[in-house]
Amino acid sequence: DVQLTQSPAFLSASVGDRVTITCRASQGFDNYLAWYQQKPGKAPRLLIHAASTLQTGVPSRFSGSGSGTEFTLTISSLQPEDFATYYCQQLNSSPLTFGGGTKVEIE
Amino acid sequence: EVQLVESGGGLVQPGGSLRLSCVVSGLTLSTSWMHWVRQAPGKGLFWVARITHDGKTLYADSVKGRFTISRDNAKNTLFLQMDSLRDEDTAVYYCARDASWRLDPWGQGTLVTVSS
């Protein structure tokens, strides 16, 4: 199974900050990696797919990059509505796996 | 607009069974790959099962032999039959469409609680 390790697990930041979340894979794969945002009591929302493709309707302050075993999600200027938990997911091989999540909190 | 609505969650005793449903609209289930993903209270996301457009199924090791994913194309409904339930199966269960190497959209989730 491909293990995904997200770092950091928790992040305190202020509105306007640039935030970067890393997702490291136990083995390399093609860019079948997605990022999701989840707010308390809500279903996950797709932000990025194919490692760097912004999902329709997602603000351009979100971006994704990476390949192989290291992927990143960047929020260029954190907004109040971005305080949430973020997950990476690999869809390259079964079983599909998720990272442990990164909770972004208000500093 | 694609919408997914889960139902069927509830309280069940260990060893019991439950069947979850996911009614989909805005897409044709017979041509779609669909997944179930769960989230234990306060924990992260965990992939449970997948069914392809032609009915091939795949399961996480921890549910293999106990859970069955299926669908009724005529009713545009996805199912998850859960047998021999354990405490550790307690979670919110989400259905989601596989939109080509990403899960989108997701349903709102249904809570399953396994407890005596």
Side-chain angles (χ1 to χ4, degrees), chain A residues 1 32 34 36 38 41-46 49-50 55 87 89 91-92 94-100, chain B residues 35 37 39 43-47 50 58-61 94 98 100-109:
Chain A
D1 299 3
Y32 296 123
Y36 303 88
Q38 188 180 34
K42 300 294 187 182
R45 170 198 178 200
L46 176 68
H49 62 95
Q55 175 69 0
Y87 295 93
Q89 182 199 24
L91 300 96
N92 182 74
S94 298
L96 307 189
T97 47
F98 290 89
Chain B
H35 298 257
V37 175
Q39 186 170 37
K43 301 297 184 183
L45 301 170
F46 180 81
W47 173 81
R50 180 214 73 198
L58 201 63
Y59 299 92
D61 284 347
Y94 297 100
D98 189 319
S100 296
W101 313 111
R102 68 244 200 206
L103 301 191
D104 180 66
W106 298 54
Q108 85 288 351

Side-chain angles (χ1 to χ4, degrees), chain B:
Chain B
E1 182 191 7
V2 177
Q3 287 194 321
L4 312 177
V5 179
E6 301 97 334
S7 62
L11 175 63
V12 61
Q13 292 189 339
S17 297
L18 213 54
R19 189 174 83 154
L20 306 183
S21 299
C22 170
V23 176
V24 307
S25 58
L27 65 86
T28 303
L29 196 58
S30 62
T31 61
S32 301
W33 288 30
M34 300 293 295
H35 298 257
W36 287 97
V37 175
R38 72 185 182 188
Q39 186 170 37
K43 301 297 184 183
L45 301 170
F46 180 81
W47 173 81
V48 174
R50 180 214 73 198
I51 186 167
T52 65
H53 67 285
D54 56 354
K56 293 185 177 64
T57 59
L58 201 63
Y59 299 92
D61 284 347
S62 59
V63 308
K64 202 175 298 183
R66 300 188 300 121
F67 289 13
T68 304
I69 186 173
S70 64
R71 62 171 187 247
D72 183 331
N73 293 334
K75 295 183 179 179
N76 244 21
T77 302
L78 177 74
F79 300 104
L80 186 68
Q81 176 67 40
M82 303 186 297
D83 299 320
S84 303
L85 282 161
R86 305 167 180 167
D87 291 351
E88 56 265 33
D89 296 319
T90 293
V92 174
Y93 284 75
Y94 297 100
C95 60
R97 178 188 66 166
D98 189 319
S100 296
W101 313 111
R102 68 244 200 206
L103 301 191
D104 180 66
W106 298 54
Q108 85 288 351
T110 187
L111 176 63
V112 172
T113 303
V114 184
S115 175
S116 54

